[in-house]
Amino acid sequence: MTSASYWVELFESQQRLGGGFLLTRRYVLTALHCLRDISSFDAQVEVALTDGSRLVGQVCRRDRDADLALITLSAAYEVKLPIPRAGVAQGGDDWYGPYRPAAAEVHLRGRVDDGAIEYLCEGGALIQALQLTVNQLLGDYSGYSGGPVVKESPGDHAPVVVGILLEQAPDRAAANRAANVLFAATIGEAMRRFDQFDVEHLMDVVHPTSGLSKGNGAGHEPTVDAAATTAEAWFDRIDQWSQRQVLDPSQVAELKFMAAKAAIERQVHGHDA
């Protein structure tokens, strides 16, 4: 299994806030409640990577209803850690959480009960969520919020991130305990909530490759025909990912729209240059 080097810890003034993970090389996704009392819209936080790097991040988007937040990393830094593919979970899949709130805490593992339910989260939004059973009976899962939910794959396959941990179900027989059932927003839900992602960032998430062609080898921007061909090539690749169930239908539609938009914008910029 590829090292789970994409999760991060968030700090403000040396105070640990919680976890998150690299959604792309520029953006970190976390649960909004992990940011606690940070009230300013564009507050800065420290993002600690698993390689020991500590980068400056800025809270760029908050979705209070869905309890999600997006942090952008300073352009002064280049993140070289591998970014996982985004995927879709199905009921019956095995899952694990590479992030844990402290070295003395356990890693969470379990089963996906449902890969796409409508769930009314504490923020008030009806979100697409994963319902997860946890094997580790901790009674209290606080501190794990914001961490990635990763689908277990047989063999030495790259990790596939399918959700972000948000909430735990209460134990109906004991109000002071939590049941071993967690809820996580799907990656598709997070993508729909934030409009920060251009096509190159999205492609970096689902399959790390080079971005759209930036020229024809002679220092010129693509022609209209070349831009259209590039977009069509991405359409074909997106369809292949869809057939492999790497993407859900909403992600397919969004990616195709953004691929076409990026091709058009590149042609416009080429005429303006």
Side-chain angles (χ1 to χ4, degrees), residues 10-173:
L10 305 174
F11 294 85
E12 184 192 33
S13 302
Q14 303 303 314
Q15 179 184 3
R16 181 184 170 280
L17 301 174
F21 59 96
L22 292 163
L23 191 57
T24 73
R25 298 187 192 283
R26 186 181 178 192
Y27 289 106
V28 169
L29 183 65
T30 186
L32 180 57
H33 72 261
C34 290
L35 301 182
R36 294 186 177 87
D37 298 326
I38 297 180
S39 57
S40 59
F41 178 77
D42 56 351
Q44 286 191 342
V45 295
E46 189 176 33
V47 180
L49 306 183
T50 55
D51 65 359
S53 303
R54 286 184 173 250
L55 314 181
V56 175
Q58 184 175 354
V59 182
C60 61
R61 285 291 298 277
R62 304 165 188 253
D63 191 315
R64 298 188 183 279
D65 293 342
D67 192 23
L68 295 170
L70 199 63
I71 296 169
T72 182
L73 299 176
S74 171
Y77 303 104
E78 180 182 0
V79 176
K80 297 183 178 179
L81 293 172
I83 307 298
R85 291 188 298 122
V88 180
Q90 307 289 335
D93 287 342
D94 293 325
W95 72 275
Y96 72 97
Y99 170 75
R100 51 185 176 157
E105 300 283 2
V106 302
H107 285 289
L108 301 183
R109 292 181 179 272
R111 185 186 68 252
V112 177
D113 298 320
D114 198 312
I117 64 170
E118 287 190 339
Y119 176 67
L120 184 63
C121 66
E122 291 185 4
L126 193 65
I127 65 171
Q128 184 185 67
L130 310 173
Q131 180 176 307
L132 310 168
T133 297
V134 190
N135 294 338
Q136 294 71 31
L137 303 178
L138 302 184
D140 180 4
Y141 299 93
S142 59
Y144 287 91
S145 294
V149 176
V150 179
K151 182 166 64 175
E152 290 269 28
S153 300
D156 188 24
H157 295 292
V160 177
V161 176
V162 294
I164 172 174
L165 288 173
L166 292 182
E167 299 178 12
Q168 55 194 41
D171 188 328
R172 298 179 70 177

Side-chain angles (χ1 to χ4, degrees), residues 174-192:
N176 62 338
R177 287 179 60 86
N180 66 324
V181 177
L182 304 182
F183 294 97
T186 64
I187 294 298
E189 181 70 31
M191 290 291 189
R192 287 189 291 273

